[in-house]
Amino acid sequence: MLIQTESVISFFKRKHNPSLHMKQVFVIAVACLLSLGVRAQQAAGDALAMEAFKKEKEKSDKDITDAKAAAKASTWMDRAKTYQNIASQGQMKIDSAAATVAFDAFKKVVELDKDKKGGPGKLAKEAEEALKAPLMATAFMQQGVAKFQAKNYADAMKSMSIAGDINPKDTLAPLYTAIAAQQIKDNATAKTQLEKYITSGGKDATIYGSLAMLYRADNEIDKALVALDKGIALAPTNKDLANEKINIMLSTNRMDEAISGMKQMVEKDPNNVQNLVNLSIVYNNIANKSSEEIRKLEGDSKKGGNTAKQVADAKSIIDAYNGEIARLQASIKKSPKPELKRQLTEVQKRLSDQKTELAKLEAEAKEAAAKAGAAADGAKRLAELKQSQQENKSQEKLYLEKALAIDPNNYDANFNMAVFLFNEAVEMKRGVDRMDMAEYNKNGKELDGKVCGKFKQSLPYFTKAKSIKDEADVNENLTNLQNILKQYEEKKIVCIEPGK
């Protein structure tokens, strides 16, 4: 009533935004991919070398137009090596499909070179080895990079995918293939390639988060959780992965699973502050989920009470009109004055209007009465929800206290404890604001003092969080809190802190 708190925060919002996480990973990877092509081109940028490649290419192109030469495996072997060198050295300006030309030429060698028994000849065996050699994989990677730089993402994806097939132990090829796939929104290929990155031994935990986001986007929740678990096993201290796992569990209403999993982590490592903070966040989310239903049930209860009161008030007014009509009729019998008759007509009209209003209110009351059973159930449900919410809030505070006991300098634990206490003050303030003036004059000022005390209780935690990490979130909330406390001070309301 006296202190305005409309702009306060209502629940803890984590700074990490999972929906941006995958994009950030890919932006970094794309930069690496683009620089790979640049470095290769700089390394092979000698004009003389480029001229030599051009001459060799022109000779090869001419040779395969000659029927006699084109029938020889050696012609195709020379062609394969020429184009492979062009691609592997990053000279894609000479031929943007050099790796593919080389690949096809090696396969032509295998087709043409047969021994007397029909098996592969010497050149065919050499070509078969070349088709699965690292140099061929490099050629396709360079071709893919050039395609990517030209924004031909579909062909870039194909080229780098072939590179990964040739060298299955390579982790860059599947990663970059996934990046290219993302550019054309081919999530299926992106997921397959990131899985390949993982099975090939990729150790970047953030990629596991990216894979989880792809699965989540396609509503493959179990696969998303598996990817996150693998990433967490690889990087147990990675907060983003742990937070994303919590987000998924909460968004899919797997509350019990979330709590069970987090408690197991706490049992295995009781001094892991991040696990304790994460568990407090789970309880916070569960408590917040019931808030909307609680407010709805409280609103329905209040609405029903108002309807009943309005009906009673309307009936009282009708009784008053009937009494006035009886009085006027008696007076007219004694002295039929025009003024008395005019008054009677006016009161009778008001009575008629009031009866119409009563009928409307009784219809609303009847509707409310029809919901009487539901209202009773609602009251029971409301009590249960409030009790459950309080239990979850108690658990939230408990795990924050445990985290702070282990590490008083943990930013998240301090920030979240500050928000927890702040939000408790907000709820208390709402109770004060709902008072009418009579109630406020009786108890409001003392309750305002307790609200102020609860707000003040959060101050040292916000201050501590700011000293640890000077972030926008904590600065904004700290400024808001200081402004609220200043209002209490200006109103000369003494803050009554809990326990004091």
Side-chain angles (χ1 to χ4, degrees), residues 207-225:
I207 302 303
Y208 291 74
S210 297
L211 177 59
M213 287 304 300
L214 286 168
Y215 279 128
R216 185 180 182 185
D218 289 339
N219 204 33
E220 296 177 277
I221 302 304
D222 289 336
K223 289 184 178 180
L225 292 173

Side-chain angles (χ1 to χ4, degrees), residues 18-265:
S19 67
L20 298 180
H21 179 254
M22 184 172 64
K23 290 182 181 178
Q24 292 168 347
V25 172
F26 281 155
V27 165
I28 294 169
V30 167
C32 295
L33 188 153
L34 294 176
S35 64
L36 173 66
V38 171
R39 286 197 299 273
Q41 289 175 21
Q42 289 173 342
D46 185 84
L48 292 175
M50 183 177 287
E51 192 61 32
F53 280 131
K54 284 182 179 179
K55 288 181 179 179
E56 290 177 14
K57 175 185 179 299
E58 288 170 2
K59 180 180 181 302
S60 177
D61 292 345
K62 184 179 179 181
D63 286 346
I64 63 166
T65 62
D66 181 88
K68 189 174 180 181
K72 296 179 181 179
S74 58
T75 301
W76 289 96
M77 178 61 83
D78 290 341
R79 181 174 180 79
K81 290 180 178 179
T82 294
Y83 275 88
Q84 185 181 57
N85 287 333
I86 291 172
S88 62
Q89 293 300 313
Q91 297 290 354
M92 309 313 298
K93 289 182 179 180
I94 297 174
D95 191 321
S96 63
T100 303
V101 174
F103 193 78
D104 291 341
F106 278 126
K107 288 198 291 185
K108 189 70 173 178
V109 173
V110 174
E111 178 189 327
L112 293 175
D113 187 37
K114 305 292 183 181
D115 61 18
K116 293 179 180 179
K117 295 181 180 180
K122 183 179 178 181
L123 287 178
K125 290 177 181 178
E126 183 182 343
E128 286 175 342
E129 288 299 316
L131 284 169
K132 54 187 178 183
L135 188 59
M136 192 74 255
T138 299
F140 271 107
M141 275 300 293
Q142 291 291 1
Q143 179 171 294
V145 169
K147 297 287 186 184
F148 191 98
Q149 289 173 321
K151 297 186 178 180
N152 184 348
Y153 302 120
D155 283 350
M157 181 179 73
K158 292 175 184 177
S159 295
M160 291 185 285
S161 177
I162 293 171
D165 291 339
I166 294 170
N167 185 6
K169 292 183 180 180
D170 180 32
T171 55
L172 285 180
L175 176 58
Y176 291 159
T177 304
I179 295 168
Q182 272 294 104
Q183 304 305 310
I184 56 174
K185 303 188 184 305
D186 184 352
N187 280 7
T189 298
K191 287 184 290 189
T192 299
Q193 291 297 320
L194 289 183
E195 286 284 11
K196 189 174 181 180
Y197 166 86
I198 291 171
T199 56
S200 298
K203 300 297 183 183
D204 187 343
T206 58
I207 302 303
Y208 291 74
S210 297
L211 177 59
M213 287 304 300
L214 286 168
Y215 279 128
R216 185 180 182 185
D218 289 339
N219 204 33
E220 296 177 277
I221 302 304
D222 289 336
K223 289 184 178 180
L225 292 173
V226 169
L228 288 169
D229 284 338
K230 288 179 180 178
I232 291 169
L234 186 66
T237 60
N238 188 302
K239 291 195 291 185
D240 289 344
L241 295 177
N243 289 341
E244 182 57 22
K245 182 176 180 180
I246 293 172
N247 281 345
I248 290 176
M249 287 182 172
L250 293 175
S251 66
T252 55
N253 206 31
R254 301 186 183 196
M255 303 300 186
D256 293 340
E257 188 179 343
I259 291 174
S260 176
M262 291 304 304
K263 282 187 174 180
Q264 286 177 17
M265 293 173 69

